[in-house]
Amino acid sequence: MIDELYSARILKLAANLPHSGRLSAPEGTGERVAKLCGSKAVVDVVLDADGRVASFAQDVKACALGQAAAGVLGEAVIGASVEELEAAREAMLAMLKSGGEGPDGRFEGLRALKQVAEYPARHASTMVAIEATLDAVRQAQTAARRGPDTRTSLAGAA
């Protein structure tokens, strides 16, 4: 039943969007759109010297499920490595598509979206924030490898 999908917990997560907005000088920017419903996430990041997320901002215009996923992500992303983000994305996909348990560790809160598995049309909107975050982190990593002069131009080109 679709009413169960929009539980009080999901609606509370959707209403709380940590790090909302944009960064003034991101090292990486990612954008994802769910074609079916138009949910959209634009994410800016700055990485620390170890390649972990030091600053994060997100501009998310999505359904309650996309907003809820972005809310969990925003609560946990500061300090995350690209490996942790990739593992969370893979665990989310497994949870949605093949009965997996969902992410653990810092992103375990995404398990609140487990019931979305029963609604394939909602999968893409649930994934836009984490996919945009991974794109932003990878862009920032590429800029860091190229040197400090390219960080601004790459981020501005996104």
Side-chain angles (χ1 to χ4, degrees):
M1 173 184 268
I2 201 148
D3 289 342
E4 293 171 13
L5 188 58
Y6 296 99
S7 67
R9 183 167 183 209
I10 295 293
L11 295 175
K12 183 177 178 183
L13 287 168
N16 175 32
L17 194 63
H19 305 286
S20 187
R22 302 290 306 271
L23 295 180
S24 60
E27 294 173 347
T29 299
E31 181 177 325
R32 288 294 179 110
V33 176
K35 291 180 177 101
L36 187 63
C37 67
S39 290
K40 178 179 177 180
V42 179
V43 171
D44 295 324
V45 298
V46 172
L47 304 181
D48 66 16
D50 295 325
R52 294 180 172 274
V53 177
S55 295
F56 172 87
Q58 58 183 345
D59 183 13
V60 180
K61 305 217 176 355
C63 66
L65 300 172
Q67 292 279 136
V72 171
L73 183 73
E75 289 174 353
V77 73
I78 299 297
S81 67
V82 70
E83 294 82 10
E84 287 174 301
L85 286 160
E86 287 171 343
R89 185 206 47 218
E90 294 308 313
M92 276 290 290
L93 289 172
M95 180 179 78
L96 293 174
K97 301 199 179 290
S98 58
E101 289 303 309
D104 56 10
R106 73 170 62 236
F107 297 109
E108 187 172 342
L110 290 167
R111 291 181 178 194
L113 295 156
K114 189 172 178 104
Q115 67 270 28
V116 177
E118 298 173 29
Y119 303 90
R122 307 273 198 245
H123 291 184
S125 63
T126 306
M127 296 298 296
V128 293
I130 196 162
E131 295 285 5
T133 301
L134 268 167
D135 290 347
V137 169
R138 288 183 183 130
Q139 187 184 87
Q141 287 178 321
T142 299
R145 284 193 292 273
R146 290 186 179 152
D149 294 340
T150 60
R151 286 184 181 201
T152 308
S153 62
L154 279 175

